């Protein structure tokens, strides 16, 4: 679609993208980001796996500091991702138990959230606590010690103490595409709020599938909005695959489905009260930046993001502009 307006200028809230530190060295990426977004989410380098790769006592902040400086230099907000999740990084806690484990857990959240106090607008304090089938909460290194709700409460309390100004989010995926998971997410939010958890925002990652039934996306958005908390569409992409198989027979029909789902998401977000429209983030700008392009499943034909490899707006960018109008 020729001369589409900049997405940050038509979005009804700050429009963001995931960022990898190495993209700061890609002038094409920088030009596109400056034109299109006003918020950034580190895709990997602010996660425990990167920060603690050299061990608990030698945290690495070089790349997250670089991203934070880039955001500040370019007048872009920074959304921290993510303090505590079930995946990637617990190895650094191996062998710790009891009070030593508590000191390490509390100390990690305090160190990272404290370091970026005044630099981040918000945090994904806890990421993806719910089992993929929605039958309950994941068992993980953290739940083993503190219980399923317990580690979440603890993480939020530590984050609150370290940064009283950041908006604190619980972030999850497939709430719209797996109804049981959506229900479990809403039940968890209700329990946390009742327990006095300083939970201030809900992250709907929105890694969409083209075979999500029409209406499911907007229905979940409305259900999530009932808590009155800010909503962050935090990781939008929409692969043209189905069942994890890259099969683009009828690519035109797949693109039409992608357009319908992305437009439904953008319309549902736009329909929220202004106070609940926190931000709308795509999980990368160009198809070639997508995590779907990491690994062997890709044959270069998927189009999960708004722009093509050359930074030209594609069908998803048009769907977003339509949905935001
Ligand atoms: O770049 C390093 C390389 O130097 C190193 O040799 C190699 C060895 O491990 O790792 C490379 O880093 C990889 C990184 O992506 C590159 O940006 C990590 O291995 C790899 O695990 C990491 O994958 C990220 C993944 O989360 C796991 O952290 C993806 O980029 C990122 O898109 C994906 O994002 C997640 C969200 O955090 C949560 N929601 C789902 C979403 C998609 O899975």
């Amino acid at each position: 679609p020729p001369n589409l307006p900049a997405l940050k200028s038509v979005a009804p809230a700050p429009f963001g993208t995931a960022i990898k530190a190495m993209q700061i060295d890609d002038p094409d990426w920088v030009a596109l980001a400056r034109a299109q977004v006003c918020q950034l989410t580190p895709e990997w380098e602010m996660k425990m796996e990167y920060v603690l790769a050299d061990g608990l006592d030698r945290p690495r902040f070089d790349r997250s500091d670089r991203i934070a400086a880039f955001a500040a230099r370019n007048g872009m907000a920074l959304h921290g991702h993510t303090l505590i999740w079930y995946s990637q990084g617990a190895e650094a806690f191996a062998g710790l138990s009891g009070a030593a484990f508590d000191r390490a857990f509390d100390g990690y959240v305090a160190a990272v959230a404290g370091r970026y106090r005044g630099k981040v607008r918000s945090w994904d304090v806890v990421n993806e606590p719910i089992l993929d089938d929605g039958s309950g909460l994941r068992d993980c290194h953290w739940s083993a010690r503190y219980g399923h709700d317990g580690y979440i409460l603890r993480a939020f309390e530590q984050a609150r103490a370290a940064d009283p100004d950041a908006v604190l989010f619980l972030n999850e995926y497939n709430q719209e595409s797996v109804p049981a998971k959506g229900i479990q997410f809403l039940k968890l939010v209700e329990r946390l709020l009742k327990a006095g958890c300083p939970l201030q925002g809900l992250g709907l990652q929105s890694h969409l599938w083209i075979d999500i039934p029409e209406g499911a996306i907007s229905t979940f958005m409305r259900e999530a909005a009932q808590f009155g908390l800010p909503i962050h569409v935090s990781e939008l992409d929409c692969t043209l695959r189905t069942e994890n198989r890259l099969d683009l027979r009828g690519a035109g029909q797949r693109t039409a489905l992608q357009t319908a789902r992305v437009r439904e998401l953008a319309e549902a977000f736009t329909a929220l009260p202004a106070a609940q429209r926190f931000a709308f983030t795509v999980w990368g700008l160009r198809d070639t930046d997508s995590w779907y392009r990491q690994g062997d499943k890709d044959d270069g034909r998927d189009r999960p993001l708004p722009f093509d490899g050359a930074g030209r707006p594609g069908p998803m960018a048009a769907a977003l502009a339509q949905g935001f109008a």
Side-chain angles (χ1 to χ4, degrees):
N3 55 45
L4 211 64
L7 291 174
K8 70 179 178 184
S9 62
V10 294
F15 188 79
T17 183
I19 179 175
K20 304 176 184 70
M22 67 178 168
Q23 288 166 328
I24 297 171
D25 302 316
D26 171 354
D28 295 335
W29 185 89
V30 170
L32 186 62
R34 283 183 176 144
Q36 295 293 332
V37 307
C38 57
Q39 180 164 304
L40 298 171
T41 301
E43 187 165 0
W44 178 59
E45 289 135 323
M46 212 176 233
K47 288 170 178 171
M48 189 182 282
E49 179 182 63
Y50 183 82
V51 173
L52 295 188
D54 296 338
L56 259 174
D57 50 359
R58 283 196 304 285
R60 302 189 303 180
F61 294 112
D62 55 326
R63 295 194 196 172
S64 46
D65 284 354
R66 192 162 181 236
I67 290 170
F70 176 84
R73 184 160 75 239
N74 287 280
M76 297 175 183
L78 185 62
H79 176 74
H81 175 79
T82 175
L83 291 170
I84 294 294
W85 71 324
Y86 74 95
S87 168
Q88 292 203 329
E91 300 74 42
F93 286 69
L96 294 184
S97 59
F101 188 103
D102 298 347
R103 272 195 306 279
F105 182 91
D106 297 347
Y108 177 77
V109 176
V112 182
R115 185 182 187 87
Y116 295 105
R117 177 175 178 172
K119 295 183 169 66
V120 298
R121 177 185 181 212
S122 48
W123 271 105
D124 288 331
V125 175
V126 170
N127 189 48
E128 303 174 5
I130 296 170
L131 287 166
D132 272 337
D133 66 2
S135 60
L137 271 63
R138 297 178 193 274
D139 294 332
C140 61
H141 214 62
W142 325 117
S143 63
R145 173 143 181 87
Y146 303 119
H148 290 107
D149 290 10
Y151 84 88
I152 301 173
L153 277 163
R154 193 177 186 108
F156 273 87
E157 280 153 7
Q158 289 299 327
R160 174 77 304 148
D163 184 347
D165 305 317
V167 184
L168 305 181
F169 281 81
L170 177 71
N171 195 44
E172 186 59 87
Y173 66 92
N174 283 2
Q175 302 104 314
E176 69 292 301
S177 51
V178 181
K181 195 168 185 183
I183 291 165
Q184 199 63 243
F185 179 82
L186 298 174
K187 283 164 68 175
L188 172 60
V189 170
E190 192 167 9
R191 283 201 312 276
L192 292 173
L193 292 175
K194 277 199 178 115
C197 179
L199 167 60
Q200 297 169 298
L202 305 181
L204 282 53
Q205 291 183 15
S206 306
H207 291 288
L208 302 183
W209 298 97
I210 56 175
D211 49 9
I212 294 175
E214 183 174 350
I217 290 167
S218 42
T219 298
F220 184 77
M221 179 77 75
R222 273 196 307 278
E223 288 168 350
Q226 282 173 352
F227 293 101
L229 293 175
I231 301 278
H232 182 197
V233 171
S234 55
E235 306 183 13
L236 170 63
D237 50 31
C238 184
T239 177
L240 298 173
R241 309 167 192 216
T242 43
E243 298 91 40
N244 278 319
R245 191 183 66 250
L246 195 59
D247 162 7
L248 296 190
R249 278 197 313 276
Q253 197 249 341
R254 290 174 175 279
T255 300
L257 286 171
Q258 180 191 67
T259 295
R261 296 294 69 78
V262 169
R263 184 168 176 164
E264 180 182 340
L265 177 72
E267 286 170 348
F269 180 79
T270 303
L272 292 173
Q276 290 187 262
R277 300 195 298 255
F278 182 77
F280 195 106
T281 299
V282 288
W283 207 237
L285 288 172
R286 303 168 300 189
D287 296 321
T288 44
D289 297 320
S290 173
W291 67 294
Y292 281 117
R293 290 293 175 85
Q294 292 170 358
D296 58 357
K297 291 194 291 290
D298 169 49
D299 69 359
R301 293 186 299 156
D302 200 359
R303 298 213 61 185
L305 291 173
F307 301 90
D308 70 11
R312 290 180 297 247
M316 182 186 281
L320 288 168
Q322 288 157 15
F324 289 149

